[in-house]
Amino acid sequence: MKITISVIKADIGSIGGHIKPSEKVLKTVSDYVTKNGKAFIKDFRVTYTGDDIAIMMSHTLGKLNSKVHKMSWDAFVAGANTAKSQGLYGAGQDLLKDSFSGNVKGMGPAVAELEFDERPNEPFLFFAADKTEPGAYNLPLYLTFADPMVTPGLLLQSSLTKGFKFTIMDVSCTKGDRVIELNAPEDLYKIAALLRDTNRYTIESIFTKDGQPAAAVSTTRLHNIAGKYTGKDDPVCLVRCQHSFPATGEVLAPYAIGQFVSGGMRGSHNMPIMPLKQNSPTSYFDGPPMVSCAAYCVHEGKFTEVADAFDHPFWDYVRNKVARKAVEMREQGFFGCAMLPHYELEYGGIVEILKELDKKFVMRK
Ligand code: F6R
Ligand code: MG
Ligand code: MG
């Protein structure tokens, strides 16, 4: 059976600043999907990570389907109305367009979708990150799908030794989807040369060499849509696991690094990313940037209950390490690598100051 898993996610308002959505907003979104999706949605889950709500759905209508996208957009509009009625902060923040046109790409919400022939047993992972950008998944996915130091399956499992095909997007391009396809391990250094630049190049999808979808990442850059800072992109990601894909533990392993990503306060800092349980709020310094991971199996389009992958004592050690790294970076405030380089800064104030000062520079004779 060919099914599609679609995740559509948006920040439509939160309690106490950019912390978490209210119960009432979550219920509004969930009730809307129950009522309006029942004719074509096989199953769904509504969850949150920081201030973002994700609707994860299964159906048979394929990717970028207008019915699925429109229903999700309308569910977020309904949620945003509840957020407004409760006086939540940033109500409707990620709903950047007034009218719906075909699918939610380029309208504000983030979307990741996988369409595949469902295996008799089909484990997969749903990641949601808050206070960061899509490039936050570059390092973990690169390590999982291309580095046998992290994924011994690339050496040990014959179905994995052929490697994977990466589609990488230049997210600085605003004219359309500018993409390149590269193969691991053949093009390993080329893949690495692009992915190190997490602000500009983002993994969009990963396939097996025989064309089976393995991973999908949302590539929305809100800054490009709104033309100014309206909140960080807060990307979502889906990964299929086991057998001809990396094992669940091989997909999770890189999150023990707590790598530095763009985000945190005003979307303008380098901060380590913290693996947290689903439905965790934001806290320190409007962060730290966070990622949750929900593990499921899907069978005939029905999701099992969730196994929360970062809800385990091992990740307490990682969270403590990430907290330490975050505080150490914060000790240098806005200096050097603690704040993003000027061309990535999205807040008006500093951009205007620098423009003004530039005119006053003189070339000494
Ligand atoms: C991060 C984020 C927050 C806000 C900050 C200021 O993605 O959204 O760090 O940038 O709290 O918010 P405003 O400008 O809405 O007061
Ligand atoms: Mg957010
Ligand atoms: Mg937000």
Side-chain angles (χ1 to χ4, degrees), residues 230-241:
T230 58
K232 218 57 186 169
D233 320 307
D234 305 340
V236 286
C237 168
L238 289 166
V239 185
R240 293 171 77 195
C241 302

Side-chain angles (χ1 to χ4, degrees), residues 197-210:
D197 189 349
T198 50
N199 302 139
R200 176 153 185 193
Y201 300 106
T202 294
I203 295 172
E204 183 205 45
S205 55
I206 301 173
F207 285 80
T208 62
K209 290 283 171 63
D210 58 7

Side-chain angles (χ1 to χ4, degrees), residues 18 51 89 93 131 229 231-232 234 264-267 286 347:
H18 295 274
D51 56 11
Y89 192 66
Q93 176 180 291
K131 310 295 175 201
Y229 186 73
K232 218 57 186 169
D234 305 340
M265 179 57 67
R266 298 176 189 278
D286 280 4
Y347 258 83

Side-chain angles (χ1 to χ4, degrees), residues 9 11 49 51-52 130-131 232 234:
K9 172 261 41 152
D11 175 351
T49 297
D51 56 11
D52 298 300
D130 188 35
K131 310 295 175 201
K232 218 57 186 169
D234 305 340

Side-chain angles (χ1 to χ4, degrees), residues 184-204:
E186 303 87 309
D187 303 318
L188 197 64
Y189 296 168
K190 292 171 188 153
I191 293 172
L194 293 176
L195 294 186
R196 63 151 293 281
D197 189 349
T198 50
N199 302 139
R200 176 153 185 193
Y201 300 106
T202 294
I203 295 172
E204 183 205 45

Side-chain angles (χ1 to χ4, degrees), residues 120-135:
N121 41 59
E122 184 65 63
F124 75 96
L125 303 177
F126 157 45
F127 291 89
D130 188 35
K131 310 295 175 201
T132 188
E133 62 183 5

